[in-house]
Amino acid sequence: MNPFLETPRLALRPFTDTEADTDRVHALHNDPEVMRFINGGRPVSRETIRAETLPRLLHDHPCFGTRGYWAAEERTTGTFLGWFEFRPPADDDPAVAELGYRLNREAWGRGYATEGSRALIRHGFTTLGVRRVTAETMTVNTRSRRVMEKSGLTCLRHFTGDWPDPIPGSEQGDVTYVLTRGDWEARRPTMDERERPPAASYDRRGCDGRTIG
């Protein structure tokens, strides 16, 4: 399958309604460490993947003319690494895109999340008509927050959402990060997927005033 987007090390392709992709997503979503800040690491059934998760991964967004989720593979080996999210909250408005990522543990600490995120942000601002990129995570999820920062987003707010089934850390709330097209264009030479943005482009203290690692 032709990739939607490529970076030096990644190929992002559309998901397929196949047993192979079902198996890949099921395994990813059943790693307790991967799901620690999503559902507390609880197991997810294959039936839930087929009935709820895959339809979301396969959904086409008319205002983008593309999917909103992409399977991430290593370009050289084709190894499945996880997925990236880059989708509009409203199907008829491309102005805002939500960024997300979920990679298997073998891919952690290798810069893949940042590399894929920067490529999607670039594509959104230059091709899809996006004007603002947002991302959210739990306050305690410092790993994900670092990816957002290295991708150029800055912390906008700390908030306490409604967790119907709380998990460890949810009592500390969540954070929203944002990057506008104007800010991205102003420092575009440093926002290439192979480069690290300057330290001044993000707030190391985060939304709640604490330094994050």
Side-chain angles (χ1 to χ4, degrees):
M1 177 177 295
N2 293 330
F4 165 72
L5 199 62
E6 289 185 321
T7 74
R9 298 182 298 164
L10 298 174
L12 306 186
R13 65 161 177 85
F15 276 100
T16 61
D17 187 15
T18 62
E19 292 303 310
D21 269 354
T22 301
D23 291 342
R24 295 180 181 108
V25 175
H26 184 245
L28 178 69
H29 288 211
N30 275 278
D31 185 322
E33 284 301 307
V34 171
M35 301 298 287
R36 177 183 173 190
F37 298 111
I38 307 299
N39 67 0
R42 302 184 185 97
V44 180
S45 70
R46 186 179 179 85
E47 290 72 23
T48 297
I49 297 296
R50 290 292 302 174
E52 299 178 15
T53 307
L54 271 181
R56 184 170 70 251
L57 300 181
L58 295 169
H59 180 66
D60 291 308
H61 298 275
C63 65
F64 277 3
T66 69
R67 302 274 175 85
Y69 291 85
W70 310 98
E73 298 176 340
E74 265 186 339
R75 283 185 64 179
T76 56
T77 65
T79 300
F80 177 78
L81 302 176
W83 54 251
F84 284 87
E85 169 193 3
F86 196 80
R87 65 181 180 89
D91 273 348
D92 59 350
D93 186 0
V96 179
E98 295 181 354
L99 172 69
Y101 31 79
R102 192 171 301 175
L103 303 182
N104 61 44
R105 275 190 275 178
E106 291 73 18
W108 292 2
R110 302 176 64 182
Y112 286 130
T114 302
E115 185 173 317
S117 295
R118 291 180 184 175
L120 285 166
I121 289 168
R122 174 184 292 272
H123 187 73
F125 285 146
T126 60
T127 304
L128 299 179
V130 174
R131 296 199 296 270
R132 184 177 65 176
V133 175
T134 66
E136 291 184 355
T137 190
M138 292 175 64
T139 299
V140 296
N141 191 355
T142 57
R143 186 188 299 271
S144 184
R145 293 177 67 172
R146 285 291 291 144
V147 171
M148 295 173 190
E149 293 173 343
K150 289 193 289 184
S151 300
L153 284 74
T154 57
C155 195
L156 176 68
R157 65 170 182 147
H158 173 276
F159 67 99
T160 302
D162 181 18
W163 285 79
D165 193 6
I167 62 176
S170 60
E171 71 281 356
Q172 296 189 41
D174 300 273
V175 286
T176 300
Y177 280 73
V178 65
L179 175 64
T180 66
R181 184 162 62 190
D183 286 344
W184 178 82
E185 289 176 341
R187 56 182 188 265
R188 184 172 177 178
T190 69
M191 295 307 297
D192 187 88
E193 60 267 21
R194 291 163 292 183
E195 299 176 3
R196 178 189 178 95
S201 69
Y202 55 84
D203 182 359
R204 291 281 304 209
R205 295 174 303 167
C207 297
D208 52 6
R210 295 185 299 107
T211 300
I212 58 180

